[in-house]
């Protein structure tokens, strides 16, 4: 089978399988039902009804006709992609400022990692290397 035939026979990425849609309906609908029950146990009035409604609207078609959930699943996954994109930026920014910045400040307090200072009496930061004859073999396998 050639590469183009394999691509034509594969299921498109945008078209989820019936099994995937059933799993989506049961999982997400089940979570809504559990959240509704938790909200009901906490003596809320309106929130459990709304959460149970969403849960029933996902679990019902998930069991009977999973294909009906294709549009809902597509919107849900796009929303999840946007949230993941935003959360990744927030988490990476927090990790940088909470972890990397203090490490950098502490390092700079005790040493100069770039050796920029001329404290040792040097006239320049230039590092002089010994002049060696060029060996062409060192260019052939550099890594």
């Amino acid at each position: 089978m050639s590469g183009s035939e394999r691509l034509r026979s594969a299921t498109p990425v945008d078209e989820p399988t019936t099994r995937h849609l059933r799993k989506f309906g049961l999982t997400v609908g089940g979570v809504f039902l559990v959240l509704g029950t938790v909200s009901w146990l906490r003596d809320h009035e309106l929130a459990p009804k709304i959460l149970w409604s969403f849960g029933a609207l996902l679990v019902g078609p998930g069991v009977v006709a999973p294909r009906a959930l294709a549009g809902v699943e597509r919107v849900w996954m796009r929303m999840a992609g946007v949230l993941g994109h935003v959360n990744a930026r927030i988490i990476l920014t927090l990790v940088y400022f909470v972890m990397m910045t203090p490490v950098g400040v502490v390092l700079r307090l005790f040493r100069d990692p770039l050796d920029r200072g001329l404290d040792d009496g040097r006239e320049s930061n230039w590092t002089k290397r010994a002049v060696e004859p060029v060996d062409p073999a060192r260019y052939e396998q550099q890594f």
Side-chain angles (χ1 to χ4, degrees):
M1 181 184 285
S2 71
S4 61
E5 290 174 8
R6 202 174 309 126
L7 286 176
R8 273 186 257 129
S9 68
T11 305
V13 176
D14 293 334
E15 190 176 318
T17 63
T18 302
R19 182 172 185 235
H20 174 76
L21 291 171
R22 179 171 285 122
K23 184 177 176 183
F24 166 75
L26 294 176
T27 304
V28 176
V31 169
F32 275 122
L33 292 174
V34 168
L35 290 175
T37 303
V38 169
S39 182
W40 176 70
L41 291 173
R42 296 182 69 171
D43 293 327
H44 298 150
E45 291 183 26
L46 182 61
K49 294 175 185 174
I50 293 171
L51 291 169
W52 285 335
S53 298
F54 282 142
L57 289 173
L58 289 171
V59 169
V63 172
V64 178
R67 283 273 162 216
L69 294 175
V72 176
E73 190 266 349
R74 189 177 307 116
V75 170
W76 186 269
M77 295 310 283
R78 282 189 183 151
M79 186 173 62
V82 169
L83 285 174
H85 183 77
V86 170
N87 284 338
R89 294 330 182 252
I90 292 170
I91 290 168
L92 289 174
T93 301
L94 286 174
V95 165
Y96 179 78
F97 284 111
V98 170
M99 292 177 63
M100 301 306 283
T101 303
V103 168
V105 169
V106 169
L107 282 176
R108 284 183 184 89
L109 286 175
F110 296 108
R111 66 183 185 104
D112 185 10
L114 297 178
D115 193 27
R116 293 172 296 186
L118 297 175
D119 300 336
D120 57 358
R122 295 180 295 170
E123 293 181 14
S124 170
N125 282 335
W126 187 265
T127 304
K128 294 188 179 185
R129 304 280 181 218
V131 178
E132 300 174 359
V134 177
D135 180 20
R138 75 178 212 183
Y139 296 115
E140 291 186 17
Q141 291 185 358
Q142 296 182 17
F143 303 104

